[in-house]
Amino acid sequence: MSISFPSHKNTVWKTKVDVPFAQGGNSRLFEVWNDGSDKRFALKLYKASDTAQKRKERFYQEIEIVKKLENIPGCIQLIDYGEYEGVPFFVMPFFANGTIKEKYLDIIGESKIELKTVLRDFLKILFIVKDIHTLGLAIRDIKPQNILVDENNDPIITDFGLSLWLNTDYKERLTICGEIIGSAGYTPPEWSETEPSLNHFKGDIWSLGRCLWAMCAGKHAPRNFDTLGGEDTHLSQYISKEFANYIQGIVTSCTNQSPSDRPNIDALISETKKILSVIETGTEQKLKTSADLKSYIKTMSGSILNSRVVLDSKRVESEINIKLTELNQATTTLNDELQPVVDELNNEYKEIGRFRTIVDRTDWTIRIPDINISKNKSWKKSVTLRFDPNQKTTEHNNMSYIIMKFQFGLSEDRSYFWSVYSRDQGMQIEKIYESLTSKSIIVLISNKIAQIPYYTRTFIEIILKHFQD
């Protein structure tokens, strides 16, 4: 069964089947033809089932953005657009060669593409991104499956549904603060902050570094916010050790936790050119004798020639920064989950006092067994559920404030720790309920949220002891 899509130009675009050949989070892609031509095109149709108004607005915004990119080589071109049964669509060229993902990540067997081909394609991508950035647009969803391959085997950047113009005010954005932007594995940590920068160009640099890693490794970048280049992610596991450190230097620099320490697009182009030139001419010795490249290695990655692991002081600092970012996210998540609990408790026990949460006012007088807590205050977080009795309750039941404290952070060896304890000031009782360590604070917090009802009941039991005879 075919579908007919009438456009604003009175052109009718038709499918031969009603099944899309691909689809994303809020759109479907169909192969279409217009009357009197055998040439194939791709039609991107908004998912009618997706009722989120902001996503629909974003789809219309993408059409306007693609219009403005028509003079930039390497960007997807808008052929036509319109609405089908009230649902927006636009038409673009069809590329039979697929995407960068299919070219580099979906290779069967051991037939990997030459490293110089990877860098040539990457350099072409960088030039396209430079032109887009020069126009004032951050792409914000750069990943291998969003980069098409044309008939000349050149990259074409597509999917501008999340793109953002430079200095767009928070109030004008279609993505609310704190909402997840982009795709797991290619999204930088700062885009999940509650007040992200008005300039997202350095976020695109992060995504580009992860794309380069994926193109070299032949698989998607890890679904985390880590700076790539440690022993488990060093490219020497996937490409020639002769050049692995140098390309890893680019990746490590791009995925620095501090956006200001990442290279801009011009610097990234310059360094990629240097490495590509050496690989094309064939000898690592030229790298060793090049003062410019020695300087590059020092400043971009801290890599030592023939070293398997690039783990310099900048990378250690980056690892700590991302863990601190995750701790901040965990703090916000836990506090948000406790707010409905606080509202319910205040409604049920309003006659005896008031409940509230306190974030990051940490009291570290309790020693947690078997956990070497760091003395660095910025490495420690807490969310406290606190009960303050009213004056009448205080007078008749010998009560002072009571807390249930969830505390977590980094230990001296930089592993995550978690503990829960209560303190009853009136009865001068302290009790630790749980203490443990974990590799992932995000996973841990998710699991502990499910235990909030248990800790709430325990907290109420402590309070009600004051009313027992």
Side-chain angles (χ1 to χ4, degrees):
M1 178 180 174
S2 66
I3 307 175
S4 296
F5 299 90
S7 78
H8 84 296
K9 295 181 179 179
N10 295 321
T11 301
V12 177
W13 300 92
K14 295 182 178 180
T15 67
K16 292 184 178 178
V17 294
D18 59 359
V19 179
F21 68 85
Q23 57 183 314
N26 66 342
S27 62
R28 299 182 178 90
L29 290 168
F30 294 88
E31 286 186 55
V32 294
W33 290 257
N34 60 13
D35 294 336
S37 173
D38 293 330
K39 187 176 180 179
R40 289 186 293 175
F41 295 86
L43 183 144
K44 186 173 183 177
L45 176 69
Y46 181 76
K47 282 184 180 177
S49 59
D50 192 335
T51 57
Q53 183 60 30
K54 285 194 174 182
R55 288 190 177 184
K56 192 172 185 179
E57 289 177 31
R58 197 181 283 140
F59 192 92
Y60 281 111
Q61 178 178 277
E62 181 178 8
I63 294 175
E64 296 304 313
I65 288 173
V66 175
K67 286 181 185 178
K68 294 179 180 179
L69 299 177
E70 62 180 359
N71 294 321
I72 296 183
C75 290
I76 196 69
Q77 296 296 296
L78 183 73
I79 304 297
D80 201 355
Y81 63 94
E83 288 191 354
Y84 171 74
E85 296 182 351
V87 178
F89 70 84
F90 67 90
V91 180
M92 51 192 172
F94 182 89
F95 294 101
N97 288 339
T99 68
I100 288 292
K101 173 182 178 292
E102 292 161 337
K103 184 174 182 178
Y104 289 104
L105 278 63
D106 293 344
I107 298 174
I108 299 174
E110 300 297 323
S111 56
K112 281 201 170 185
I113 296 176
E114 288 185 324
L115 194 53
K116 59 185 177 182
T117 303
V118 173
L119 288 182
R120 286 170 185 164
D121 276 348
F122 185 65
L123 192 57
K124 291 174 184 176
I125 293 168
L126 295 184
F127 278 117
I128 302 169
V129 173
K130 178 181 177 179
D131 287 342
I132 295 172
H133 281 188
T134 300
L135 199 63
L137 187 72
I139 302 166
R140 301 209 307 170
D141 200 13
I142 301 173
K143 57 184 178 181
Q145 54 268 49
N146 281 351
I147 305 173
L148 300 168
V149 178
D150 71 9
E151 62 276 7
N152 297 317
N153 248 347
D154 290 329
I156 302 291
I157 293 182
T158 186
D159 204 329
F160 295 92
L162 293 175
S163 297
L164 191 69
W165 296 104
L166 180 64
N167 293 330
T168 301
D169 187 80
Y170 298 125
K171 295 179 182 179
E172 299 174 8
R173 298 184 181 187
L174 295 177
T175 305
I176 62 174
C177 293
E179 182 180 342
I180 296 174
I181 306 170
S183 303
Y186 298 92
T187 300
E190 68 269 16
W191 286 355
S192 62
E193 294 175 357
T194 55
E195 293 186 4
S197 167
L198 296 177
N199 181 346
H200 281 195
F201 292 167
K202 288 298 183 76
D204 280 350
I205 297 298
W206 170 286
S207 303
L208 287 166
R210 290 212 152 207
C211 279
L212 177 58
W213 188 93
M215 291 164 69
C216 292
K219 63 180 185 179
H220 275 304
R223 295 169 66 90
N224 58 30
F225 287 151
D226 290 353
T227 295
L228 300 181
E231 186 168 5
D232 56 340
T233 57
H234 197 281
L235 284 175
S236 58
Q237 300 177 70
Y238 305 101
I239 61 177
S240 167
K241 290 179 174 58
E242 183 181 14
F243 299 114
N245 278 345
Y246 305 105
I247 297 178
Q248 183 62 60
I250 295 176
V251 173
T252 301
S253 178
C254 288
T255 58
N256 193 299
Q257 299 302 310
S258 172
S260 62
D261 290 334
R262 298 171 201 156
N264 61 27
I265 193 66
D266 287 319
L268 188 51
I269 288 172
S270 175
E271 304 308 331
T272 303
K273 279 183 175 180
K274 290 176 186 177
I275 303 301
L276 177 58
S277 175
V278 170
I279 292 176
E280 287 179 329
T281 51
T283 64
E284 186 185 8
Q285 187 61 35
K286 291 186 179 180
L287 279 172
K288 294 178 180 178
T289 58
S290 167
D292 285 344
L293 285 171
K294 278 185 178 180
S295 174
Y296 156 71
I297 290 298
K298 182 178 179 180
T299 58
M300 289 283 278
S301 70
S303 168
I304 300 173
L305 291 177
N306 301 318
S307 169
R308 184 172 185 274
V309 179
V310 177
L311 193 59
D312 60 4
S313 60
K314 283 188 176 181
R315 190 189 188 292
V316 172
E317 181 181 355
S318 292
E319 286 184 327
I320 293 172
N321 286 340
I322 187 52
K323 287 188 174 183
L324 294 180
T325 299
E326 290 182 344
L327 285 174
N328 288 332
Q329 291 174 342
T331 303
T332 300
T333 299
L334 182 56
N335 187 56
D336 288 347
E337 291 292 332
L338 283 171
Q339 293 314 304
V341 175
V342 168
D343 292 341
E344 186 176 335
L345 292 176
N346 278 328
N347 183 58
E348 186 171 352
Y349 297 98
K350 59 186 176 183
E351 300 298 328
I352 62 172
R354 176 176 174 268
F355 294 82
R356 58 187 169 122
T357 60
I358 302 174
V359 177
D360 272 355
R361 193 177 297 169
T362 309
D363 182 350
W364 297 98
T365 57
I366 283 198
R367 181 180 178 276
I368 304 175
D370 304 322
I371 298 179
N372 188 12
I373 297 175
S374 170
K375 295 179 181 179
N376 189 328
K377 290 184 178 180
S378 67
W379 288 18
K380 308 174 218 178
K381 303 292 179 183
S382 73
V383 178
T384 302
L385 181 59
R386 173 167 169 152
F387 171 73
D388 291 292
N390 59 31
Q391 185 175 354
K392 182 178 179 180
T393 303
T394 302
E395 292 173 352
H396 289 275
N397 298 86
N398 189 30
M399 292 186 71
S400 182
Y401 73 84
I402 303 171
I403 63 169
M404 174 77 73
K405 185 181 288 291
F406 306 90
Q407 56 185 23
F408 44 94
L410 294 177
S411 61
E412 284 293 351
D413 65 358
R414 301 191 185 96
S415 62
Y416 292 112
F417 72 86
W418 160 273
S419 71
V420 182
Y421 75 86
S422 68
R423 173 179 292 161
D424 185 331
Q425 291 293 101
M427 293 184 174
Q428 298 184 340
I429 296 174
E430 294 179 341
K431 183 176 181 180
I432 295 177
Y433 296 93
E434 184 176 50
S435 63
L436 52 89
T437 58
S438 172
K439 291 184 177 180
S440 171
I441 193 65
I442 302 298
V443 173
L444 180 64
I445 290 292
S446 297
N447 291 337
K448 293 305 173 184
I449 283 172
Q451 293 180 283
I452 285 178
Y454 163 74
Y455 287 118
T456 302
R457 289 193 300 271
T458 303
F459 189 47
I460 295 300
E461 288 172 3
I462 298 170
I463 295 170
L464 294 181
K465 283 181 181 178
H466 288 269
F467 294 88
Q468 295 173 357
D469 293 332

